[in-house]
Amino acid sequence: MFRLVTLNLNGIRSAANKGFVQWAEQAGADCMGVQEVKAQQEHVVDRFDRVAGMTGHFHLAQKKGYSGVGLYTRRAPSDVIVGFGAKEFDAEGRYVEVRYDTTSSRRGFSKFSVISCYFPSGSSGEERQAAKYRFLARIYPHLVRLRAERDFVLVGDINIAHQEIDLKNWKSNQKNSGFLPEERAWLTRLIEQAGLVDVFRTLNPRPEQYTWWSNRGQAWAKNVGWRLDYHLATP
């Protein structure tokens, strides 16, 4: 069995102060994707480069205290890919991919990747929403090309709630970033046309399953949340 988990840290140093490392040790993952690391290389080395017996591979933002993604792996990959070839977003530290390309007598040559990705949020205003749309336009063909070449699982904070079931107050959020028709249509296209699988929703059709809650209005206590984090896999 291969156990793959993902979490948005909202700052790896802050998360460590809140028990992230201890949680990771108990999670028993073989691979763990993290997003919003919000750290530079000097903050990671000798403190977060290994967690729970796993080695970290990172794509950190050029801007201090911003974005950044990582993948912790128990097994050494055959290759690590940092960035996906979009200069604007590669500077923001949004994509890291580990590859496990192997040859065996039973299966021949197999290609498999795990990707940790952090999609932009557009909630701060029109400028960032426009950047989010540019990101979606660039990442889509990349994933389509990758899908033609290899099996993969992309984990991460996609900042899109796909269907009405994926957020508590869907009626009042139809004009808000994260639940805009254009964003939802993009994710539908990725699943239905590009052929990726929303793993969690395939396995769990129940409502009120969320991954993000606002800090306002006792959203966590009342489970008023959004499902913004995904495992998207080739079949």
Side-chain angles (χ1 to χ4, degrees):
M1 190 171 83
F2 176 73
R3 180 165 168 78
L4 172 62
V5 301
T6 185
L7 63 160
N8 183 307
L9 296 173
N10 194 22
I12 195 167
R13 290 167 289 178
S14 173
N17 292 334
K18 298 173 183 176
F20 158 60
V21 174
Q22 293 82 355
W23 178 89
E25 290 170 349
Q26 295 171 5
D30 298 291
C31 186
M32 177 172 63
V34 292
Q35 301 85 43
E36 280 204 90
V37 176
K38 293 184 177 181
Q40 306 306 119
Q41 191 65 32
E42 62 266 26
H43 305 132
V44 171
V45 173
D46 297 329
R47 186 178 179 192
F48 299 117
D49 44 4
R50 283 186 64 81
V51 168
M54 296 180 287
T55 301
H57 313 275
F58 298 95
H59 184 200
L60 303 175
Q62 294 176 10
K63 181 181 176 181
K64 290 185 177 181
Y66 183 72
S67 190
V69 295
L71 276 167
Y72 286 95
T73 63
R74 201 165 297 283
R75 177 183 166 192
S78 54
D79 200 5
V80 179
I81 311 297
V82 173
F84 66 101
K87 185 177 180 180
E88 175 184 4
F89 301 108
D90 287 349
E92 295 182 348
R94 295 190 177 275
Y95 181 101
V96 62
E97 173 187 350
V98 295
R99 294 186 171 182
Y100 293 97
D101 295 356
T102 60
T103 303
S104 69
S105 56
R106 284 191 305 167
R107 296 183 60 191
F109 188 62
S110 64
K111 297 180 177 181
F112 173 65
S113 291
V114 181
I115 300 160
S116 178
C117 196
Y118 176 45
F119 286 37
S121 168
S123 59
S124 63
E126 292 183 5
E127 183 179 342
R128 288 312 296 169
Q129 185 63 38
K132 185 176 186 178
Y133 285 139
R134 291 196 300 273
F135 180 90
L136 296 179
R138 292 299 302 270
I139 196 75
Y140 185 91
H142 172 77
L143 295 178
V144 169
R145 287 192 297 268
L146 204 66
R147 161 103 168 73
E149 298 170 0
R150 59 178 53 244
D151 290 318
F152 67 84
V153 183
L154 181 150
V155 299
D157 182 350
I158 290 177
N159 270 312
I160 300 171
H162 187 207
Q163 305 287 2
E164 294 170 4
I165 193 176
D166 295 318
L167 71 167
K168 183 73 171 182
N169 295 324
W170 68 268
K171 288 184 179 180
S172 60
N173 279 292
Q174 294 179 80
K175 294 183 179 180
N176 290 334
S177 180
F179 198 60
L180 294 172
E182 298 87 347
E183 298 169 336
R184 298 170 61 201
W186 181 92
L187 191 47
T188 296
R189 183 179 169 219
L190 189 70
I191 293 168
E192 294 184 356
Q193 295 184 27
L196 297 189
V197 177
D198 178 353
V199 177
F200 177 83
R201 189 50 78 200
T202 300
L203 298 174
N204 189 331
R206 298 193 304 273
E208 299 190 348
Q209 308 293 305
Y210 308 127
T211 67
W212 180 85
W213 299 259
S214 170
N215 289 324
R216 303 172 183 172
Q218 294 187 308
W220 167 261
K222 297 176 180 178
N223 197 26
V224 179
W226 298 52
R227 188 172 74 99
L228 300 176
D229 304 80
Y230 290 74
H231 287 58
L232 296 171
T234 54

